[in-house]
Amino acid sequence: MERMLVTGGAGCIGSELCAALLSRGHAVIALDNLSSGKLEHIETLHAHPSFRFVEGDVLDPKALDAALEGVTFVHHLAANPDVKFTPDAPDRDLRQNTIATAAVLDAMRRHEVKRLAFSSTSAVYGSSPVQPIPESSACRPISLYGATKLACEAMICAHTHLFGLRAWVFRFANIVGGKVRKTGKTVISDFIAKLKADPTRLEILGNGKQAKSYLQVDECVAAMLHVTQHASADFNLYNLGADDWLSVTRIAEMVVEAMGLANVEFRYTGTEAGWPGDVPRFRLDVSELEKLGWKAKLTSEQAVRAAIRDILAVS
């Protein structure tokens, strides 16, 4: 049994990761400031004798040092959860992504914790002319979110060379599931909220032709753990996603169907991207992940359909 720290452990992905690690016999400390995560996400974990929750921020040195006591492996998921730029907090991506990751890395160095799994993003690629996008593709992010996550990757790589760290970096597709975060909205929760307010029409950001890869959250966690167990380089970099993509208009159609609605008017804002910094189209090349022995069981459409069902069941 190992003692593992999950930053962002009360988040939609982090809470599922905590549960998976506990089921594998590990002791788990979840560190979360609850700015986006929710206590209800980890409510069922508190009864487990090997689980401990710490409410705190990775930018608080005392909280981070206390959480790292006796830890042998860090899963760093804490970050700004929203890709969109926030004008009233222009440095949010820098602070919550890059500076927070620098704090985690430095604390790990001081505590001599030598293994790190990091949740990055497909947004590091930007609007790639290559589809599907391999890990070797040039990274030209078009959002501050993607840019700051790429900076995190670079710092992690440097730590593997300077301080003997072993790292696993995951470039996520869009991860979907039944849990809804405290701040920001996914395309699914946005459509559901809009249709509950007005079941006759639906505003769709962009032209509806945006197409992206999706991955169900349980499969995301399974892929993360598979890679950490089977990839043995000092610095390991993998795309995590399904081997396809799904359009925004198709997601809208699926939400309308699941809500039992008909004759809903779709109103598009008309731009190629949904908002400034949005990558209109991306499909991840997951061949390296498949070579390592893991492949998603659900297609992007199946993953989104399951997420729609689960979100509607609790909303």
Side-chain angles (χ1 to χ4, degrees):
M1 181 177 70
E2 288 198 73
R3 187 177 180 87
M4 298 190 172
L5 171 64
V6 180
T7 71
C12 298
I13 303 173
S15 58
E16 298 293 342
L17 176 60
C18 288
L21 292 172
L22 289 168
S23 72
R24 286 160 172 76
H26 300 299
V28 176
I29 300 169
L31 176 65
D32 201 301
N33 65 6
L34 300 179
S35 61
S36 176
K38 298 178 179 179
L39 287 176
E40 65 193 63
H41 291 166
I42 55 172
E43 186 176 1
T44 60
L45 303 182
H46 286 289
H48 200 293
S50 297
F51 177 75
R52 182 164 68 93
F53 173 67
V54 177
E55 183 175 351
D57 198 307
V58 295
L59 290 170
D60 178 353
K62 290 183 179 179
L64 188 54
D65 283 339
L68 276 169
E69 192 67 35
V71 164
T72 57
F73 198 120
V74 174
H75 293 269
H76 179 39
L77 286 78
N80 174 22
D82 200 347
V83 177
K84 295 180 183 178
F85 175 69
T86 307
D88 61 349
D91 63 341
R92 179 174 294 166
D93 291 299
L94 179 65
R95 288 187 295 103
Q96 296 184 1
N97 295 345
T98 309
I99 296 175
T101 299
V104 170
L105 286 168
D106 187 60
M108 289 180 65
R109 178 187 61 79
R110 289 186 284 102
H111 286 263
E112 299 184 341
V113 182
K114 296 297 186 181
R115 289 177 296 162
L116 170 73
F118 175 69
S119 298
S120 189
T121 172
S122 54
V124 299
Y125 295 117
S127 297
S128 175
V130 179
Q131 301 288 343
I133 310 171
E135 291 89 346
S136 59
S137 184
C139 292
R140 298 187 176 94
I142 62 172
S143 65
L144 291 179
Y145 178 86
T148 52
K149 282 285 192 174
L150 186 59
C152 295
E153 292 186 13
M155 288 191 299
I156 291 167
C157 186
H159 272 251
T160 65
H161 287 270
L162 291 172
F163 307 116
L165 181 71
R166 284 188 64 195
W168 295 263
V169 173
F170 309 117
R171 289 177 175 169
F172 287 166
N174 283 3
I175 309 303
V176 294
K179 293 177 178 177
V180 179
R181 64 181 184 243
K182 191 180 294 181
T183 58
K185 290 181 179 178
T186 65
V187 63
I188 298 171
S189 59
D190 179 53
F191 286 171
I192 290 174
K194 287 177 177 176
L195 287 169
K196 284 186 173 182
D198 184 351
T200 66
R201 62 179 59 88
L202 176 63
E203 180 192 62
I204 299 175
L205 301 180
N207 58 15
K209 297 179 181 179
Q210 307 99 299
K212 304 178 183 185
S213 295
Y214 292 83
L215 185 65
Q216 200 269 344
V217 65
D218 289 340
E219 293 210 284
C220 173
V221 169
M224 293 167 68
L225 296 180
H226 183 89
V227 172
T228 58
Q229 291 167 3
H230 293 91
S232 57
D234 290 337
F235 182 82
N236 304 275
L237 176 64
Y238 284 86
N239 288 335
L240 299 192
D243 188 21
D244 62 356
W245 50 8
L246 187 67
S247 75
V248 169
T249 293
R250 179 58 188 141
I251 295 174
E253 293 169 348
M254 293 164 64
V255 172
V256 168
E257 177 187 349
M259 295 180 69
L261 303 175
N263 302 317
V264 176
E265 177 190 359
F266 290 173
R267 294 184 174 179
Y268 300 97
T269 60
T271 55
E272 182 183 23
W275 60 85
D278 178 36
V279 177
R281 301 172 68 82
F282 76 83
R283 177 180 175 181
L284 295 179
D285 182 340
V286 291
S287 58
E288 291 301 315
L289 181 60
E290 292 178 2
K291 289 177 186 176
L292 200 64
W294 193 91
K295 181 179 175 65
K297 295 176 182 178
L298 300 181
T299 64
S300 288
E301 179 159 333
Q302 289 170 332
V304 169
R305 187 179 301 280
I308 293 170
R309 179 198 65 217
D310 292 345
I311 292 173
L312 285 173
V314 297
S315 62

